[in-house]
Structures are given as structure tokens and as C-alpha cells.
Amino acid sequence: MIDFTNAIEEFNNYKGSEKKKTLIYDNKKYLVKFPDPVREKNKNISYINNAFSEYIGSNIFKICDFEVQNTILGKYNYNGKEKIVCACEDFTDNEHILYEFENLALSTNPDKKIETELNDIMEVIEESKMIHTEETKQKFWDMFVIDSLIGNTDRHNGNWGFVLNKNTGKVKFSPIYDCGSALNPMLEDEKIEKINEIELKNMAINCYSCLKENGKKINYMTYMKQMNNEECNKAIIRLFLNINIDTINRFIDDVEGMSIARKNFYKKIIEKRYEILKEVYENVK
């Protein structure tokens, strides 16, 4: 595991809720995410697993053949304590700028505040003259499908977007980034060890996106099983055969610094969701 303790530090300009540093390692710039402090009242744990969530979630996207921000699992010594961190390589530079979807939404309809209502997001994609509508829709729903697999509960409008090439004016869908809210990061190992099969199945199914439909958060598995959204159905058809569950399991097994119990939990909950996706795929293909 790479030690980032002595990497060169720069002023941090990255947004987001996690504790973070901007570090230069091997001549590349990284946003390095630290374990979060306790976010919920009456919780006895720190948000210590977001580094694993970021790293594994991002790499599952990569295994499924997405363009993804490069991530490195590492360690950092702070005040005599060794912390597990996730270093996320900056894919922007002087030529390439990231524009998050929320910025596009602000500029598209000045009369309407756009949050995470699905219809509003689709409206922005269709109205904006800055992006390619059909390609963006496909990329959005592809991202939705894999977010469902990893249980990403926080794919809001500020953690996906577009990369602009300043020299050519070309805009493309950005690499996937910010997967730290996937894979139950608030669940500590002690509780994981006590989860039975019924509870695990319920957790796999009862996972909600922060996207909303008619004001209610979308339950990933229920939404896809209903097969009412043709764009989502097409994404499942495009993607399902790229989901290599054996490769995902081997990747999880090889992650350093993570307990066997957590590895087994991740593999099992992903397997449950994979089986649901398989069922939907067989029905819509």
C-alpha cells in the first residue's frame, strides 16, 4: 500500500464533504480523501470506510469498461495515527476543465431550480445546447445501472459532469468519479459479521438512489424490475455482459487493509444485485 505521508502538499481547492488534501505523488496531482468524522448522531464510529467505497466502486466501473478516474488505495500518517486513504487522480489540467452537471442545470433554465428530480435532469439534458443529448442520456443511464450494482446512494448533480477541452471546444462526458457513498461505508465490521442472509438480501434490494421520481427517491432494484423506462432498459442491455462478477470478486479479495468480513459482505451484496440485473436483462434483451 502506497504511503502518501511525505507527498508534496498543495492548497486544496476541491469541494465535497470529506476531509481531503491535494497531494502531488509521482508527478501527478491527487485529491486524497480521508476517513470522515462521525456524520450521524449517536454513531460510535467514524466514517472510516469511504476510502474502500471510493476505491472499489471506481474500479467496478472500470471493470465494466467505463472511463474512470484513476484511484489508489494508500495510507497517511497523521499525528501518529495511520489512516487508510483513497487518492483520486485529477483528470483535469490547463487544457481540460470539469463542468459538473449542477453548473449546467443552473445555466439551462433560469426560472427553475434543478435538484435531483429525474424529469428535471432529463429536461436539462434535452434543452442544453452545450452537450450531445442522446449520448449524454446513454452515459447517464449506463452510470445509473452500475451505481445500482454498487449501491451508490449519493450520485447527486455535483458528482458527475462533463470535460471541456478549452483548445478545441469539444465537450465529453467526464470519467466516473466520486463513488465514496457506495457499498455501505457507514456500516462497521462488527455489524457486518452479524448480518444474516435475509437481512443482506433486504439491504441489497432496499437501496435508494438520490435521484427522485415524483418527489420520492428511486429504489434502484424496484425501478429496474418494473422495466418502464426504455432508456434504462437499453442501458441494461448494453452493460450487463460487461459485468464480470468473477473479476469483481477477485478484485475485492485482493484489496489491502480490509477485513475478510467486509470483503465477503461486498461480494454477497453485489451478487444479489447482479442476479436481479440478470433477471431484468433476460426479460428486456
Side-chain angles (χ1 to χ4, degrees), residues 101 104-105 108 112 114-128 131-144 157 160 162 173 211-213 218 223 229-232:
F101 180 79
L104 184 69
T108 300
K112 189 174 186 179
I114 306 298
E115 295 182 346
T116 58
E117 185 71 30
L118 184 57
N119 284 342
D120 290 344
I121 291 171
M122 291 298 109
E123 187 177 283
V124 170
I125 293 173
E126 289 167 3
E127 287 185 5
S128 177
I131 58 176
H132 188 282
T133 298
E134 290 309 312
E135 180 184 357
T136 300
K137 281 186 178 181
Q138 285 188 15
K139 298 281 190 182
F140 174 88
W141 286 110
D142 288 353
M143 180 173 65
F144 179 89
N157 296 340
W160 66 279
F162 309 88
F173 202 88
L211 295 172
K212 295 179 180 179
E213 193 168 55
I218 292 173
Y223 189 84
N229 187 312
E230 281 303 312
E231 297 289 345
C232 185

Side-chain angles (χ1 to χ4, degrees), residues 9 14 18-19 27 39 68 76 92 101 114 121 130 157-158 175-176 188-189 202 215 231 242-243 259 263 268 272-273:
E9 184 171 0
Y14 296 110
E18 302 98 339
K19 297 292 183 180
N27 295 317
R39 285 187 174 185
V68 184
Y76 191 98
T92 66
F101 180 79
I114 306 298
I121 291 171
M130 310 290 289
N157 296 340
I176 300 296
E188 63 266 42
D189 287 358
N202 288 337
E231 297 289 345
N242 289 347
I243 304 173
S259 70
K263 290 179 180 182
K268 287 179 181 179
K272 299 274 186 201
R273 294 177 182 138

Side-chain angles (χ1 to χ4, degrees), residues 54-72:
E54 186 78 60
Y55 179 65
I56 296 172
S58 295
N59 277 281
I60 288 175
F61 269 103
K62 187 178 290 185
I63 288 167
C64 296
D65 207 26
F66 282 70
E67 185 179 2
V68 184
Q69 179 181 46
N70 183 41
T71 56
I72 302 173

Side-chain angles (χ1 to χ4, degrees), residues 220-235:
Y220 280 119
M221 296 299 127
T222 300
Y223 189 84
M224 289 186 290
K225 286 176 74 173
Q226 289 171 341
M227 297 179 285
N228 291 331
N229 187 312
E230 281 303 312
E231 297 289 345
C232 185
N233 292 345
K234 289 176 183 176

Side-chain angles (χ1 to χ4, degrees), residues 258-270:
M258 192 166 67
S259 70
I260 297 297
R262 183 166 295 276
K263 290 179 180 182
N264 288 337
F265 169 72
Y266 285 169
K267 290 187 292 183
K268 287 179 181 179
I269 200 166
I270 289 169

Side-chain angles (χ1 to χ4, degrees), residues 202-218:
N202 288 337
M203 290 176 70
I205 294 171
N206 295 319
C207 181
Y208 290 80
S209 168
C210 71
L211 295 172
K212 295 179 180 179
E213 193 168 55
N214 300 319
K216 296 181 179 179
K217 286 187 176 182
I218 292 173

Side-chain angles (χ1 to χ4, degrees), residues 16-28:
S17 59
E18 302 98 339
K19 297 292 183 180
K20 56 181 67 69
K21 288 180 179 288
T22 299
L23 301 178
I24 306 299
Y25 176 78
D26 198 22
N27 295 317
K28 295 177 182 177

